[in-house]
Each structure stands twice: as structure tokens, then as C-alpha cells.
Amino acid sequence: MKQPQALVVRGGWDGHQPYEATELFIPYLKDNGYDVRVEQSPKIYADAGYMAGVDLVMQCMTMSTIEKDEFAGLRAAIENGTGLAGWHGGIADSYRNTSDYLQLIGGQFACHPGKHPDACVGEQSDNYVPYTVNMLPAAAEHPITKGIKDFDLLTEQYWVLADDYIDVLATTTQTVREWDPWNREVTSPAIWTRQWGKGRIFVATPGHRVEILQDTNVRTIIERGLLWASRSNWESLAAEPSLGSTSRVSAGFRTSNSWRWPTWT
């Protein structure tokens, strides 16, 4: 049996600790049988021959840029079955100058409303607020989130602009505080998946720094999401007779009506 191949692409803004954050999960991939290659830029995505054999891309690349041939290579690999997984700005705030990447991921970081201006001191902690990650009904039986209940964090709360092709497992709601310019609560996806061609995409927005990634719930969700997205995992599951159909429902995806954008009256 072929050893599964994982590619780790890390870099971009240092504030998200791309080295330390990915090092937290590389041993987990190796323990699950992956051969792991690490790259410091998206240049490797342009190598079509190599990418064809990659089962999983774990990306932690906040902001930064990607060239046309690099993005084309990444998208082609996903469409042919390579999985893409990541967290926070390393996947949901990458390559802002490439709108096709934003379409591929399905959700884009917009902002993280922080503390009252009078409480800010010019540090990253200015944007740390208490909030809840709310699991949706679809999460109860999904392999990424099964058994995980709503949980609280004190960190950046991502306001995400998203489309309705993502399969949302959890959300988070921005409240309205006396100094906020919006006048009703705003619910954003916090954990989602996406099917793109033959490939699976997994995104979790918590994960600003290593201490958040070490939260039991966050770490469990990301570890499961990595394996769920990997081609080697879903191909082996699809081959099991007990699965029968490889439809979205039988493979553990949400049904299409499990989540909708809030309607306001």
C-alpha cells in the first residue's frame, strides 16, 4: 500500500506562528503514516508532477502572495483529489490578491472586532475577545466534530465573508456592543468543509496562536479535519463495502439544508 503524502506549506505573517503552529501537527501526521514534506512558499504548487501524488496539503500561509501558475497547480491538484486543510488566517486569509483562491476556499477573513478602543494597548491581545463556537446539528455525526459540544475561547473572533457552497459545521456570532457600528448580531461560519472537484477542503477559523491550537477542542477538530480532507482517507473509506454509496450523506457530509444564512425581520 502506498504511503500517504502530506505537503506542509507555511510562511506569511509571523504573528500566526506558522513554524510553531505547523510543528504542532506534523508529528500527528507522521504518527498516522504520512510522509511529510515541508515548504516555505507556495512555489511547490506549480510542480504538477509532484502535486499529483500529494494526498493532503496542510497550509499555514497568512496573507502573502501566490503566482498564477502556483495557484493553478494547487487548484488542479484539489480538483483531482488532493485535500487542503488549515486554520485561521493560514487558510482563510491567504493570497488576498488572488480572487480565485477566495472562491476555492469559500470563506474569507474580513476582520476580528476587538476590545473597546479605550482598552487597547497596541498589542495582538487588543483583538482577543471571549466568544463561543456553536456546533450545528450537522456536526453531531460528522467525523470532524462528532462528540464535540459548543465551546468557549478567548482569542480573535473571525468575521468571515462566505458563500453558501460551504458545508458549515459550526458558527460564531458577533454580538453588538455599545461602540460597534453594526446594529444586529452577525453570525459567521467557524468550521466548514467544501467539496471542490474530487478534493476536500477543511477550514477552522480558531487558531490565532499555538496556545489556541492547543485547546483540546480546537486541536481535536483540526487533527480530524486533516485526516478527513486527505485523499488517502476518503479513498480508503469509499472502498469499504459498508459505506455503499459515496454520496455526500453516506460519507458524513451535511445534507444541503443543514445550515442557511440567518434571515432578518
Side-chain angles (χ1 to χ4, degrees), residues 213-241:
L213 295 170
Q214 290 172 328
D215 175 270
T216 300
N217 290 306
V218 174
R219 184 165 185 166
T220 298
I221 288 166
I222 292 173
E223 288 177 344
R224 291 177 179 179
L226 292 169
L227 298 187
W228 175 89
S230 176
R231 168 171 33 211
S232 57
N233 185 48
W234 61 256
E235 282 188 342
S236 64
L237 288 174
E240 292 180 7

Side-chain angles (χ1 to χ4, degrees), residues 59-167:
Q59 180 181 276
C60 187
M61 184 70 66
T62 302
M63 294 181 280
S64 191
T65 59
I66 190 169
E67 299 299 325
K68 288 183 178 180
D69 61 336
E70 296 164 1
F71 172 73
L74 173 63
R75 181 170 60 186
I78 294 171
E79 289 177 355
N80 284 297
T82 298
L84 175 64
W87 55 87
H88 204 60
I91 191 169
D93 191 25
S94 309
Y95 320 131
R96 295 178 183 177
N97 65 327
T98 303
S99 60
D100 286 343
Y101 175 82
L102 310 185
Q103 181 199 28
L104 178 69
I105 300 304
Q108 167 63 31
F109 160 78
C111 65
H112 38 55
K115 300 174 182 176
H116 189 284
D118 292 344
C120 293
V121 295
E123 301 290 342
Q124 290 187 34
S125 59
D126 291 348
N127 298 311
Y128 298 173
V129 296
Y131 72 93
T132 301
V133 176
N134 301 110
M135 312 308 291
L136 298 186
E141 296 302 321
H142 196 286
I144 295 176
T145 46
K146 187 173 182 178
I148 297 178
K149 306 300 183 182
D150 295 356
F151 60 94
D152 297 327
L153 295 171
L154 177 60
T155 184
E156 291 181 348
Q157 183 183 23
Y158 266 21
W159 181 317
V160 173
L161 307 180
D163 62 44
D164 66 1
Y165 184 60
I166 60 175
D167 295 337

